[in-house]
Amino acid sequence: MKTQQELAEIAGKFAISGKITEVKPLGNGLINDTFKVSTDGPDAYVLQRINNAIFQDVELLQHNIEAVTRHIRTKLEGNPDIRRKVLEFMPLKDSAKTYWTDGETFWRISLFIPDAITYEAVTPEYSYYAGKAFGNFEAMLADIPDTLGETIPDFHNMELRARQLREAVAADKAGRMADPRVKALVEEIFEYEEEMTKAERLFREGKLPKRICHCDTKVNNMMFDKEGNVLCVIDLDTVMPSFVFSDFGDFLRTAANFTAEDDPDTSKVGFNMEIFKAFSKGYIESAKVFLTALEKEMLPFAACLFPYMQCVRFFADYINGDTYYKIKYPGHNWDRTLNQWALFKSAEGKLDEMKAYIEAL
Ligand code: GN1
Ligand code: MG
């Protein structure tokens, strides 16, 4: 853990304006460490320690982020609120690089977006705006001239995630397979493997495209102004080629759950059709310019796939002994797993209703 003083020294290596007055923790991401840097000038900043155990190619990561923010900025040229509409990463004082490393830890800094709010839960009205915004985000990136690499290869590949769970089970590093509840859930999960890996097969058959997607559209990765207008999408580490299901599915995984993704009380978990409908409407309105018939038809599948995939990812981490996601207590990943499993089952039960709604849009 770095002290305030050390964090301020790191922030001071970047081309920021004003004198640093305070550095304090910000947000609740599960991967990077994030801080707000206040100054005596008009601007504040967001300092982040990039988790380079997970993002092993920081050079590529920042290349992607610079390309994406630059491209969006050209699309927004002339917009008077441009500084709040797209993230801006600061270069170092002595080079054009947008990250600093001491050889061990990696850091970057962006402009803090003032008067912006993130939510852990949203109303149908806000979900509609979010749908439009994520569809629009994908539409804006459709003609990006740069080639984006995969910052985490095969990030949302369900075949890989299933394989990782299988490997975790076989290795049983933390001795958690002794618990009969763990064993039973593993079996139940694999009953759905065939169905849940169908997008990868359709891709190999040339029937489904990959597009540049955000790939971490958790509800708290979107910023709103005080009036409820969407300002911008944050957390760009995973922007990469993927199925559009990533963005559609991951938003609903968080926003359409009646409770938080780690609520240990699974009786509170459930898939909220009102949020689904509002988000789908907004998303399709802005994404219809590029969506194929098959992509649109499979959106309800995406709504089921993401709770399933997240359940598999949390579960593999639990079985591996909690090495990936930050946890607050020993059974945290187990609670997350059960929560996402309950959400998957709830969404699955509403599949026909979802299909009917999407078809009519
Ligand atoms: C991680 O960093 P954060 O909290 O926005 C994860 C997502 C998961 C999410 C689950 C790089 O996102 O894929 O869906 O936790 N990001 C990475 O809460 O693995
Ligand atoms: Mg985040």
Side-chain angles (χ1 to χ4, degrees):
M1 231 15 210
K2 300 261 188 228
T3 63
Q4 261 229 27
Q5 179 60 30
E6 287 167 328
L7 292 169
E9 269 167 34
I10 294 169
K13 297 185 188 297
F14 290 85
I16 61 174
S17 57
K19 189 172 158 286
I20 297 168
T21 51
E22 191 190 31
V23 185
K24 60 173 189 205
L26 180 70
N28 44 14
L30 300 188
I31 308 292
N32 298 318
D33 299 329
T34 310
F35 306 89
K36 179 177 176 184
V37 178
S38 304
T39 72
D40 62 359
D43 292 333
Y45 298 89
V46 177
L47 174 70
Q48 263 191 328
R49 176 180 169 178
I50 304 167
N51 183 329
N52 63 304
I54 290 176
F55 297 106
Q56 296 190 356
D57 189 345
V58 176
E59 185 72 34
L60 170 76
L61 177 73
Q62 285 306 105
H63 159 82
N64 277 5
I65 290 183
E66 284 168 35
V68 166
T69 52
R70 185 167 54 234
H71 191 67
I72 294 179
R73 197 164 293 116
T74 61
K75 302 255 161 168
L76 295 174
E77 224 166 71
N79 187 313
D81 208 11
I82 193 162
R83 287 184 99 203
R84 295 205 300 163
K85 294 260 174 191
V86 56
L87 293 182
E88 186 176 340
F89 288 83
M90 307 298 157
L92 288 170
K93 277 181 177 147
D94 57 6
S95 100
K97 273 196 191 310
T98 56
Y99 68 91
W100 177 81
T101 178
D102 54 11
E104 217 171 282
T105 58
F106 290 78
W107 302 80
R108 67 178 167 211
I109 205 164
S110 60
L111 204 60
F112 178 83
I113 301 187
D115 302 316
I117 312 165
T118 56
Y119 297 96
E120 296 300 324
V122 281
T123 58
E125 189 193 348
Y126 279 29
S127 299
Y128 168 76
Y129 297 139
K132 281 195 87 140
F134 280 125
N136 199 26
F137 181 84
E138 289 173 357
M140 281 197 286
L141 293 178
D143 60 350
I144 189 166
D146 316 72
T147 306
L148 300 191
E150 296 196 10
T151 52
I152 300 178
D154 287 317
F155 187 49
H156 280 164
N157 181 328
M158 192 56 235
E159 289 176 342
L160 169 82
R161 298 304 183 181
R163 191 155 65 239
Q164 287 174 333
L165 177 60
R166 205 166 263 120
E167 283 163 8
V169 168
D172 192 19
K173 281 188 208 141
R176 288 180 169 159
M177 293 310 299
D179 183 339
R181 295 173 309 163
V182 172
K183 253 185 124 161
L185 185 57
V186 167
E187 277 166 28
E188 230 186 308
I189 284 174
F190 281 121
E191 281 169 27
Y192 292 86
E193 184 185 9
E194 170 85 8
E195 169 67 9
M196 288 297 126
T197 51
K198 71 178 179 196
E200 281 75 25
R201 289 192 296 279
L202 288 165
F203 175 71
R204 281 194 293 274
E205 288 162 16
K207 293 180 183 151
L208 259 184
K210 287 194 182 175
R211 308 180 186 281
I212 304 293
C213 296
H214 182 277
C215 294
D216 191 9
T217 52
K218 281 165 73 159
V219 55
N220 62 10
N221 278 336
M222 170 153 287
M223 295 206 137
F224 293 85
D225 71 11
K226 286 183 184 132
E227 283 75 46
N229 304 303
V230 172
L231 283 172
C232 70
V233 171
I234 57 172
D235 208 345
L236 304 175
D237 296 325
T238 51
V239 176
M240 63 174 113
S242 191
F243 302 125
V244 291
F245 308 154
S246 292
D247 293 354
F248 186 84
D250 221 20
F251 180 84
L252 290 171
R253 182 185 71 75
T254 48
N257 192 346
F258 285 113
T259 188
E261 69 179 10
D262 63 348
D263 190 335
D265 181 357
T266 52
S267 72
K268 295 205 192 106
V269 175
F271 190 77
N272 183 338
M273 282 301 290
E274 292 317 303
I275 300 286
F276 170 84
K277 287 179 182 168
F279 180 74
S280 302
K281 189 165 182 295
Y283 179 75
I284 289 175
E285 271 174 29
S286 53
K288 66 175 175 226
V289 288
F290 60 82
L291 280 187
T292 66
L294 183 61
E295 283 177 306
K296 184 180 166 196
E297 186 192 311
M298 285 180 73
L299 292 176
F301 163 77
C304 298
L305 173 63
F306 274 78
Y308 181 82
M309 189 186 304
Q310 195 61 60
C311 170
V312 167
R313 292 177 64 197
F314 283 146
F315 201 16
D317 194 35
Y318 176 68
I319 296 171
N320 282 332
D322 310 306
T323 57
Y324 189 94
Y325 297 104
K326 290 181 193 168
I327 54 166
K328 294 200 172 120
Y329 56 92
H332 204 165
N333 273 322
W334 172 244
D335 286 342
R336 288 165 171 155
T337 303
L338 293 180
N339 178 304
Q340 295 296 291
W341 183 247
L343 182 63
F344 165 67
K345 295 307 282 282
S346 170
E348 216 232 338
K350 292 172 181 167
L351 200 52
D352 288 341
E353 203 186 326
M354 285 194 251
K355 283 184 186 161
Y357 182 78
I358 295 285
E359 218 172 294
L361 279 182

